[in-house]
């Protein structure tokens, strides 16, 4: 591609995909000729889950896998004169041959030659006829030739799979030898057709697929939604055994571990061919392809396909009390063989006989199935993808998290999950093996370890760069609370490489986090699906497991105590624990010059090499627990940074294929926070003993700082670190420490590629940076501090002050200095431009103190600058300015409204944040001011997101991530949830509000597309934006977001943020916006998507220069939070989370709010000065407008300050490629709202809508009819803010509803559906009613049958949903006011609920009511199982009281009447007994709070009345 | 654990001042002792700001939030350590600093600031009482010798830092006892001299050698003591004996009043009054050179020195005291021209002003009238803001000029050493406090001109760092300020 040269930050390896999948199987197994047709229909009905690129007709990929269609192949090969042997006696495959890189003849010849060596014979080949009419230019231009080959065996086959094994070896060799050939499949059992197609193009493209002879027992179809659009045909699914909807978050580690394991892979079945099978994971392939390759190997080497799938994607067995012991043993045993392939996944698979699907442990992808009375089984991401008459449906269900759905087409039956697992668990005495071999710490003999003398502590702390601040702000709080410390207001210190001070190596790494393409997990509320348990010891042959495979030491947490380390260090010292041998290696290098290694870097490098050699030697002598230690550092020997040592040894052992022979345990002094520990684990450590941190904690305890004894404090600190690591994992969507270990989920910022390639192989590092020498010099500088030549010169100075979190004169530099705060406030209050210029000079001049990447970028002033009057005006610029998403709740009403008024006066936009907004603010004030926020945020908690809220927006912003804490939800501490805040958020006063880490309706890119679709239905004119945080790969994510339909993308820097967040997140997640913005802009340009979208940037923007640099890097709009906040009086207290803001901003306390002194004029003054400055700078560059500036990175140049050796190592050329926008028509308008069935209804009912006259419309509905009712709801809301009476407008539907049925519908609208529904029914319900009932003719038992999908009533604020049937996972998440009755729910029901009522008449899944803080749930629980499944951390279970009773009877009666529920009728008829079997799930203190609700409401009015 | 809401729970409160009639009878501290509960409550008011403007506003960079927290947590040993980390003499600044930190305190935006200065004093006082202040004796000696000329706050701080860095330090002081302005410029009711002596003992124990009564360089003609038989050390011998020389001689040239009658007997500069009073108290003079006893005293100058003269005059038994300030009375509340966190121009009432005397603002002296015998009889004054205003007279037996200082004395040492001077008349230095003469450094008011003790200590520390780097080639000592740093405006 020609654009590649100018888009250096776009890396196609970082592309993501997600999709719709479907399975169609015929239980009669009679090679039904309808199966393919039905399967194609399924994929066509999932078309909205796929995507197309810049051209609508170039798809991201679609394909089909089918059990071998023998009749078709037999006929077509016969046409060529080739007689195929009997079915199953030949292997057939489809090969994509890229005509640019090879010919079909070459490939055929190569196959024939390879076949001969494997006891195979090429029977014949054919070119599969295709029809590329209708394909887009990109797809057509890169079409491969589809070569089909048939092979048979020439020697006797050992077993049924032997032919496939030989074909597999042939394929691996062919992939190695033949350029330009990609084998879609080559098997005797299955056949794959796929390509870079849209779902709708698949059927027509391959003529075979519509051939009447194409009969098969089952098929898997897949429609892909990718973030990229470059032509890559092989990326389409299905692969050879599976098709995958999701992401494997841990794939880097999984691949590394597979590679490491290859040394121990042996199988009698493959014999010498094993060497042809490695690397198992093809370099450069997608995550799904790698998973497919591993499953393939496991299967062909002897395991059944379900076995191979279950061990790679295991259920959450670790904390599953209800799981049978044998099943747990199965999982526990396999955990010692292999780490999970972790990530949101719905994996469908087939071996030609068994076809099925498995869902990851979190259940973050939908999978629904149904079977018919005539033997058809369909499984798909959505229901309704095949029109099946209700009376034909025999059963329906969903695949639950961690469960498998399996069809045996030979036996013609559905195999229950329990049966599958029972069969697998019974195959070997796993439990016995584990009991005999797995070692727990408490089984190891006690050891004592010498604790270092107290006097050496300070020396060690200095040696490792500890600061006083770290002790006070980082270590002490964690040791007190057992939780990581929290901070506020983001970070405005330089990234490590820009800092003039020594920084430790870990600070050059930034954590990656999930955004859009996969969801972060909820490590708090859904902790039960995570696991911090791991094992230590050698791995054995994966392919031939036995009792010895689990001869390992089990760990509960990777953060070791002193006793635990001692036990490991002296493991089997006297032969008492056979099978283990520990070896410790000292990571130290000489302080003094050494003639053989004169520079510090060389000495450091040599030390690392020595350690690797020592480890090799130890392993060769049988060591299998390696302890990497810096314990023996002294006045002459400096410590090798533990991260460098760990990663180096890890990669050395991986490269030399020894990695799985030993585990790494790190004994180090430099690791002392969650980030340090996460890195060590991420680069291969199984366990870490951070002795200096533990010693320091003990010391703090002894000094009386912690009010705890030393051991207790250390335990709390370890608990805090464990919890913190879990959170870091969860941000990336990783559930288990075993799969996080070695997963390298980091990017480096400021490390040279030579350093990274050698020691952190595979980690992205885009700017280059420092090498070993600079690292070593930093270590030596600290060493000099620890062993000073003149100690008394530092009298009264124990450690450095720090100054990272709180500004200190001698500490790290900050963008917001006291001087900058003062000058900004003085300038905006006194209206003095000259003071403003002093302020911007203070911020912009980074020649002496480097703070940001943009500080290294100089502007190339034009030879012929423009006159100021030729540059676009301030007023035009104001439309490009927005203020940040600061919620009402996090900041006070006064502050929130001041900013809103200011932005409305200017014509810019303010943002609600995620706390909702009082509707009163939409009414203009008497003086013409408006307090309305034009941007309304839709965040994961959906506080106050109602129909009205959405309709009042000019822009709807979907917050995927925020700079301060990407991958985490917001948190509003209990102290700030005053009654008036609770009222706006529909929550309970005084109860902490935590937002879920993921949006529970966005687990993937197609879900984002759906939410955008929903919001567009809710407000046709609003611009829809998506807020992302800069990290490597953001460009491809953004490409996906554009394809999902967003009008605007916000790129936030890692350092921004005004909210409260854990310190690790503030400081160590995400990347500078300069990088993210440039990458996004370049990627969108490369993919032809840039024209469709507006890019906004935010994160520590402070000055006109910042704006101009951002524009040159690709931004058109600009967001500001801290600067306008400072203008209103913020003084960067960084106590937003404490509700003690002394200037009345980040507080709700009335006495502090009185101290607020900000006025709208201060904010308008700031933006006025800013805009003028922008104009002046544009003029100097010779540019007349921002549009002209966008992407003109050629007007920037790198300028390195003197005396900054670290910064001088950076290569900024990647940032500086010109990619002008070239747009002349200004920013694009919001896209057009797609028409839905609602438009048709609106036309029919016309004027009655406006008047509120009751009316009814009837329609049929299909799964492609999405967000039905939402547009109608918007019309109703527009007609009457209060909504109409219940049931004013009734929509009667029959069929299968698409996603988001009834989303955001307001009071007055009722939707009755006879049939079933997909995910997100009643999302954001705002007062409307939804009734779901099965068709009258159904034969199944409705009360046990799934009728609606996941995440029902998410974020509902009012209204009622009555469901006759069972619904999926996470029903009523964040319900804050609706009444929802169902007859059964999946896992995580009523999570985060803050109001409303939920009634469940049937079974509930695990983790019910996690984090529920308001409302009541009533469970009909005749056998007591429901009570056991509740997460009782925030709720208690009670009997019904009289008020409940009355309310329930009334509701049940309504339910019975509306849905015909037999169950409800029965309960009512036996109510006196039935009521005793109900339990009420009530949040702690809720009844009292509800009783006080009346007075709270009064208070709320009082609180809101301050304006 | 310090509570984050302490500032909402406790109002600002300083210890009570002793009753005026009692304190006028002695020279002791005007404040009552501080009760422990008061200290607890006041330190708990500190909000531990993310951006501590107090710490920014303090020239020393005192780690105010840190020690406030440590005091609140009753961790005195750690508190004094943290206080000493940036400040050699907290017992001094805690007593007499005008506290720019408090002017910058975030709590002061909408409330009363934390009593930072008082907390500082309490930490220092209690630490001394608890025996926590001990000499820090350098274990490694460099063999380098440094001469510090002048023993005011800048010279002392510089000397202590250099001595701890292992250098041999000799402090030259032409007065009889070391301390400079701290001893002879600040009256004992503001700074008890035992406090100074206690600290000097520490310096001496650490190895700082004091040579008092020694004049370095050619004695200036106008120096009163030049004839008192002081030892004189020439600048060349100083250069020969020491590897580096630090000039910390202060800004001792007083601003004089250019009006008719300024030469009359009974017109004195402030230091004559103050120094004389102290020498008399020490017993070195039988009686002060100048005494206010029984006199009608007029003090020209409304600043801190003027206040010190006022308090001293009252204690000497003046018949009346009138203090004239040429500027109009500042507002009571912070005016917009000096917004937070700058040091505000507001009306302050010192403890001495509380004790008595009249204050006249916007009052300019037109002339000093001769009683007829060559002594002062009265002042003719007028409205300073109005040229056409009529004049009036104030009877006066003693006129004390407390109008500040012009800069260092150049004749003598500075000229001998060949140090260049700035346009403002101060010693010219580069960014590292080096004068134009190699090996000669300067700090304190000699460089900055008349300033605060807290700036002097800060410069002394920074100059020590520069000298150490000059001698040893490494950065070891802290350097809180550069010569060009100025308060925020």
């Amino acid at each position: 591609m020609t654009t590649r040269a100018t888009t250096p930050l776009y890396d196609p390896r970082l592309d993501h995909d997600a999709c719709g999948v479907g399975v169609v199987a015929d239980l009669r197994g009679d090679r039904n000729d309808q199966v393919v047709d039905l399967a194609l229909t399924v994929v066509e009905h999932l078309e909205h889950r796929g995507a197309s690129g810049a051209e609508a007709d170039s798809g991201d990929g679609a394909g089909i896998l089918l059990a071998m269609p023998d009749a078709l192949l037999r006929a077509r090969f016969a046409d060529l004169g080739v007689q195929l042997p009997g079915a199953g006696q030949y292997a057939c495959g489809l090969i994509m041959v890229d005509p640019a890189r090879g010919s079909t003849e070459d490939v055929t010849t190569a196959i024939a030659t390879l076949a001969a060596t494997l006891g195979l014979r090429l029977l014949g080949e054919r070119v599969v006829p295709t029809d590329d009419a209708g394909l887009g230019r990109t797809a057509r231009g890169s079409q491969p030739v589809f070569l089909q080959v048939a092979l048979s065996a020439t020697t006797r086959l050992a077993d049924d799979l032997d032919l496939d094994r030989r074909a597999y070896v042939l394929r691996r060799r062919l992939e190695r030898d033949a350029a330009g050939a990609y084998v879609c499949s080559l098997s005797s059992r299955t056949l794959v057709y796929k390509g870079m197609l849209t779902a709708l193009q698949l059927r027509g493209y391959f003529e075979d697929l519509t051939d009447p002879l194409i009969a098969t027992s089952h098929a898997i179809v897949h429609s892909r939604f990718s973030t990229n659009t470059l032509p890559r045909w092989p990326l389409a699914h299905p692969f050879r055994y599976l098709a995958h909807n999701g992401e494997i978050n841990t794939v880097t580690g999984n691949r590394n571990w597979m590679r490491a394991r290859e040394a121990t892979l042996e199988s009698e079945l493959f014999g010498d061919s094993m060497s042809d099978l490695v690397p198992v994971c093809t370099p450069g392939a997608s995550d799904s392809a790698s998973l497919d390759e591993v499953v393939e190997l496991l299967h062909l080497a002897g395991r059944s396909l379900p076995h191979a799938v279950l061990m790679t994607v295991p259920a959450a067995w670790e904390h599953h009390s209800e799981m049978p012991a044998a099943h747990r043993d199965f999982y526990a045993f396999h955990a010692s063989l292999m780490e999970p392939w972790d990530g949101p996944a719905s994996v469908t698979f087939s071996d030609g006989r068994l076809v099925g699907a498995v869902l990851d442990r979190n259940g973050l992808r939908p999978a629904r199935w149904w079977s018919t009375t005539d033997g058809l089984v369909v499984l798909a991401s959505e229901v309704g993808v095949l029109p099946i008459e209700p009376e034909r449906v025999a059963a329906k269900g969903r695949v639950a998290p961690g469960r498998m759905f399996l069809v045996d087409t030979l036996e013609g039956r559905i195999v229950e999950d329990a049966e599958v697992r029972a069969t697998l668990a019974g195959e070997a005495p796993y439990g016995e093996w584990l009991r005999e071999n797995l070692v727990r710490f408490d089984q190891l003999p006690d050891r004592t370890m010498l604790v270092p003398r107290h006097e050496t502590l300070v020396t060690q702390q200095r040696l490792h760069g500890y600061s006083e601040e770290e002790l006070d702000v980082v270590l002490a709080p964690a040791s007190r609370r057992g939780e990581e410390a929290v901070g506020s207001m983001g970070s405005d210190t330089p990234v490590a490489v820009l800092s003039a001070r020594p920084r430790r190596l870990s600070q050059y790494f930034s954590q990656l986090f999930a955004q859009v393409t996969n969801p972060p997990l909820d490590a708090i509320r859904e902790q039960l699906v995570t696991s911090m348990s791991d094992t230590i010891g050698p791995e054995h042959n994966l392919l031939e497991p036995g009792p010895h495979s689990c001869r390992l030491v089990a760990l509960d947490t990777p953060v070791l105590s002193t006793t635990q380390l001692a036990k490991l260090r002296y493991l089997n010292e006297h032969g008492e624990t056979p099978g283990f041998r520990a070896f410790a290696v000292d990571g130290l290098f000489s302080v003094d010059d050494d003639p053989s290694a004169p520079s510090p870097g060389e000495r450091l490098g040599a030390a690392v090499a020595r350690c690797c050699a020592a480890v090799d030697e130890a392993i060769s002598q049988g060591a299998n627990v390696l302890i990497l230690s810096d314990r023996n550092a002294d006045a002459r020997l400096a410590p090798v940074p533990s991260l460098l040592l760990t990663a180096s040894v890890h990669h050395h052992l991986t490269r030399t294929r020894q990695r799985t022979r030993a585990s790494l345990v790190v004994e180090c002094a430099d690791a002392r926070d969650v980030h340090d520990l996460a890195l060590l684990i991420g680069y291969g450590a199984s366990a870490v003993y951070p002795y200096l941190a533990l010693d320091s904690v003990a010391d703090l305890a002894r000094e009386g700082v912690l009010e705890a004894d030393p051991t207790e404090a250390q335990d709390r600190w370890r608990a805090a670190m464990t919890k913190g690591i879990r959170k870091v994992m969860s941000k990336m969507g990783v559930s288990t420490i075993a799969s996080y270990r070695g997963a390298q989920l980091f990017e480096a910022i400021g490390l040279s590629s030579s350093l990274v390639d050698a020691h952190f192989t595979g980690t992205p590092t885009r700017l280059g940076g420092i090498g070993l020498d600079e690292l070593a010099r930093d270590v030596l500088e600290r060493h000099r501090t620890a062993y000073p030549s003149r100690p008394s010169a530092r009298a009264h100075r124990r450690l450095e002050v720090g100054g990272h979190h709180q500004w200190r004169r001698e500490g790290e530099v900050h963008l917001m200095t006291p001087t900058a705060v003062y000058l900004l406030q003085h300038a905006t209050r006194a209206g003095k431009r000259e003071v403003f210029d002093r302020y911007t000079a203070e911020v912009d001049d980074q020649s002496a103190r480097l703070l940001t990447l943009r500080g290294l970028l100089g502007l190339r002033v034009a030879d012929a600058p423009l006159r100021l009057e030729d540059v676009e005006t301030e007023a035009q610029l104001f439309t490009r300015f927005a203020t940040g998403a600061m919620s009402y709740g996090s900041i006070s009403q006064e502050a929130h409204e001041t900013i809103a008024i200011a932005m409305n006066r200017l014509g810019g936009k303010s943002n609600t944040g995620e706390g909702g907004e009082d509707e009163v603010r939409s009414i203009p004030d008497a003086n013409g001011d408006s307090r309305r926020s034009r941007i309304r945020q839709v965040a994961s908690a959906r506080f106050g997101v109602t129909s009205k809220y959405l309709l009042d927006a000019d822009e709807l912003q979907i917050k995927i991530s925020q700079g301060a804490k990407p991958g985490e939800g917001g948190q509003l501490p209990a102290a700030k949830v005053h009654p008036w805040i609770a009222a706006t958020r529909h929550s309970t006063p005084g109860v902490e509000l935590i937002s879920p880490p993921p949006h529970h309706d966005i687990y993937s890119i197609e879900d984002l597309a759906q939410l955008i679709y929903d919001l567009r239905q809710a407000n046709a004119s609003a611009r829809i934006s998506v807020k992302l945080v800069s990290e490597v790969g953001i460009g491809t994510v953004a490409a996906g977001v554009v394809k999902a339909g967003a009008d605007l993308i916000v790129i936030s820097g890692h350092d921004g943020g005004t909210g409260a967040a854990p310190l690790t997140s503030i400081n160590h997640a995400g990347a500078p916006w300069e990088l993210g913005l440039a990458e996004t802009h370049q990627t969108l340009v490369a993919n032809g998507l840039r024209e469709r979208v507006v890019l906004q940037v935010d994160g520590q923007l402070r000055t006109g220069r910042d704006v101009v640099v951002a524009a040159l890097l690709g931004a058109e709009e600009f967001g500001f939070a801290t600067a306008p906040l400072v203008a209103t009086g913020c003084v960067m207290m960084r106590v937003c989370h404490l509700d003690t803001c002394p200037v009345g901003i980040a507080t709700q306390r009335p006495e502090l709010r009185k101290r607020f002194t900000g006025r709208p004029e201060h904010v308008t003054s700031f933006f006025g000065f800013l805009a003028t400055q922008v104009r002046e700078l544009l003029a100097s560059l010779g540019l007349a407008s921002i549009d002209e500036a966008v992407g003109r990175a050629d007007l920037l140049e790198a300028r390195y300050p003197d005396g900054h050796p670290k910064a001088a190592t950076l290569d900024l050329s990647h940032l500086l490629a010109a990619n002008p926008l070239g747009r002349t028509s200004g920013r694009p308008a919001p896209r057009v709202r797609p028409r839905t069935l609602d438009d048709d209804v609106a036309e029919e009912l016309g004027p009655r809508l406006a008047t509120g006259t009751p009316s009814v419309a009837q329609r049929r509905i299909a799964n492609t009819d999405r967000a039905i009712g939402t547009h109608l709801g918007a019309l109703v809301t527009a007609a009457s803010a209060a909504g109409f009476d219940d049931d004013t407008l009734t929509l009667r539907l029959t069929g299968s509803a698409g996603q988001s049925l009834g989303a955001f519908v307001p009071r007055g609208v009722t939707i009755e559906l006879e049939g079933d529904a997909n995910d997100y029914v009643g999302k954001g319900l705002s007062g409307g009613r939804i009734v779901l009932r099965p068709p009258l003719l159904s034969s199944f038992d409705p009360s046990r049958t799934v009728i609606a999908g996941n995440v029902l009533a998410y974020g509902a604020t009012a209204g009622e949903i009555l469901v006759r049937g069972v619904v999926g996972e996470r029903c009523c998440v964040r319900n804050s006011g609706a009444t929802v009755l169902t007859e059964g729910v999946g896992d995580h029901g009523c999570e985060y609920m803050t109001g409303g009522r939920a009634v469940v008449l049937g079974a509930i899944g695990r983790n019910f009511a996690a984090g529920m803080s308001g409302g009541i749930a009533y469970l009909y629980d005749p056998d007591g199982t429901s009570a056991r499944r509740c997460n009782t951390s925030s709720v208690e279970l009670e009997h019904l009281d009289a008020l409940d009773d009355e309310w329930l009877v009334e509701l049940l009666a309504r339910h019975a009447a509306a849905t015909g529920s037999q169950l409800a009728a029965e309960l009512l008829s036996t109510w006196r007994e039935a009521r005793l079997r109900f339990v009420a799930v009530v949040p702690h203190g809720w009844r009292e709070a509800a009783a006080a609700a009346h007075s709270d409401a009064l208070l709320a009015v009082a609180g809101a009345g301050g304006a | 654990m310090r509570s984050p809401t302490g500032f909402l729970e406790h109002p600002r409160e300083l210890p009570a001042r002793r009753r005026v009639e009692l304190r006028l009878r002695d020279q002791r501290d005007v404040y009552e002792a501080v009760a422990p509960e008061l200290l607890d409550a006041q330190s708990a008011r500190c909000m531990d700001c993310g951006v501590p403007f107090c710490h920014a506003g303090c020239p020393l960079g005192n780690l105010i939030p840190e020690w406030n927290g440590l005091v609140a947590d009753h961790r005195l040993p750690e508190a004094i350590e943290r206080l000493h980390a940036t400040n050699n003499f907290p017992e001094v600044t805690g007593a007499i600093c005008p506290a720019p930190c408090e002017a910058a305190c975030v709590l002061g935006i909408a409330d009363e600031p934390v009593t930072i200065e008082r907390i500082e004093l309490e930490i220092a006082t209690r630490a001394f009482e608890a025996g926590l202040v001990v000499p820090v004796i350098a274990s490694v000696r460099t063999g380098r010798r440094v001469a510090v000329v002048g023993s005011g706050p800048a010279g002392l701080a510089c000397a202590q830092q250099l001595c701890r860095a292992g250098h041999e330090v000799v402090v030259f002081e032409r007065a009889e006892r070391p301390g400079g302005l701290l001893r002879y410029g600040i009256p004992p009711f503001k700074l008890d001299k035992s406090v100074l002596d206690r600290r000097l003992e520490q310096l001496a124990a650490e190895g700082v050698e004091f040579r008092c009564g020694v004049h370095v360089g050619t004695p200036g003609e106008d120096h009163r003591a030049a004839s008192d038989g002081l030892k004189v050390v020439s600048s060349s011998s100083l250069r020969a004996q020491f590897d580096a020389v630090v000039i910390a001689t202060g800004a001792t040239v007083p601003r004089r009043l250019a009006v008719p009658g300024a030469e009359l007997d009974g017109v004195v500069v402030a230091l004559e009054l103050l120094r004389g009073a102290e020498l008399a108290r020490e017993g070195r003079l039988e009686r002060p050179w100048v005494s206010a006893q029984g006199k009608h005293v007029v003090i020209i100058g409304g600043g801190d020195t003027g206040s010190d003269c006022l308090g001293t005059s009252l204690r000497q038994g003046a018949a009346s005291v009138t203090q004239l300030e040429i500027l109009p009375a500042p507002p009571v509340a912070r005016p917009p021209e000096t917004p937070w966190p700058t040091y505000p121009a507001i009306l302050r009432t010192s403890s001495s002003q509380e004790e008595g005397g009249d204050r006249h603002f916007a009052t300019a002296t037109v002339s000093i009238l001769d009683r007829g015998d060559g002594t002062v009889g009265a002042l003719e004054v007028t409205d300073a803001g109005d040229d056409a205003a009529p004049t009036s007279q104030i009877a006066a037996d003693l006129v004390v000029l407390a109008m500040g200082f012009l800069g260092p004395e150049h004749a003598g040492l500075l000229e001998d050493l060949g140090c260049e001077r700035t346009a403002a008349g101060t010693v010219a230095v580069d960014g590292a406090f080096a004068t134009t003469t190699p090996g000669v450094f300067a700090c304190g008011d000699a460089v900055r001109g008349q300033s605060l003790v807290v700036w002097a200590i800060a410069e002394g520390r920074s100059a020590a760092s520069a000298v150490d780097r000059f001698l040893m080639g490494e950065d070891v000592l802290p350097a809180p300020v550069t010569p060009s740093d100025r308060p925020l405006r």
Side-chain angles (χ1 to χ4, degrees), chain A residues 442-575:
Chain A
D442 57 15
Q443 297 171 315
L444 292 170
D446 281 332
R447 307 283 187 190
T448 48
M449 229 171 105
L450 286 177
V451 175
R453 289 186 313 148
H454 174 78
E455 297 81 72
T456 62
L457 183 70
V458 173
T459 301
Q460 290 191 337
Q461 287 173 336
R462 286 180 177 166
L463 178 60
H464 294 281
Y466 270 58
S467 67
E468 299 286 354
E469 180 181 51
E470 277 182 296
L471 297 179
D472 286 351
V473 174
V474 181
L475 283 174
S479 316
R480 264 189 214 111
R481 309 189 313 151
E483 270 181 25
E484 206 189 341
V486 171
S488 293
M489 297 300 290
S491 156
D492 60 350
T493 53
V495 293
V497 71
L498 298 182
S499 173
R501 286 142 213 278
R503 290 278 193 94
R504 57 189 193 274
L505 178 57
S506 62
Q507 298 180 324
Y508 290 82
F509 289 83
S510 184
Q511 297 157 19
L512 300 181
F513 47 90
Q515 15 186 19
V516 182
T517 54
N518 55 333
L521 301 179
D522 190 336
I524 304 169
R525 304 299 186 209
E526 300 183 7
Q527 191 182 322
L528 85 169
V529 296
T530 66
S531 169
M532 298 304 283
S533 308
D534 202 353
T535 52
I536 288 188
E539 271 190 28
H540 299 278
N541 181 5
L542 174 66
L543 303 182
E544 288 174 358
H548 57 281
S549 300
C550 56
R551 184 60 179 166
L552 298 162
V553 180
L555 293 177
D556 293 336
T557 162
V559 188
L560 299 179
S561 67
T562 306
T563 339
Q564 288 176 331
L565 189 272
K567 287 182 174 190
L568 288 177
R569 187 150 196 155
Y570 303 110
L571 190 58
N572 196 29
E573 193 185 21
H574 303 296

Side-chain angles (χ1 to χ4, degrees), chain B residues 85-98:
Chain B
T86 57
N87 189 352
N88 298 64
F89 313 127
E91 68 279 15
V92 174
T93 48
I96 52 93
C97 189

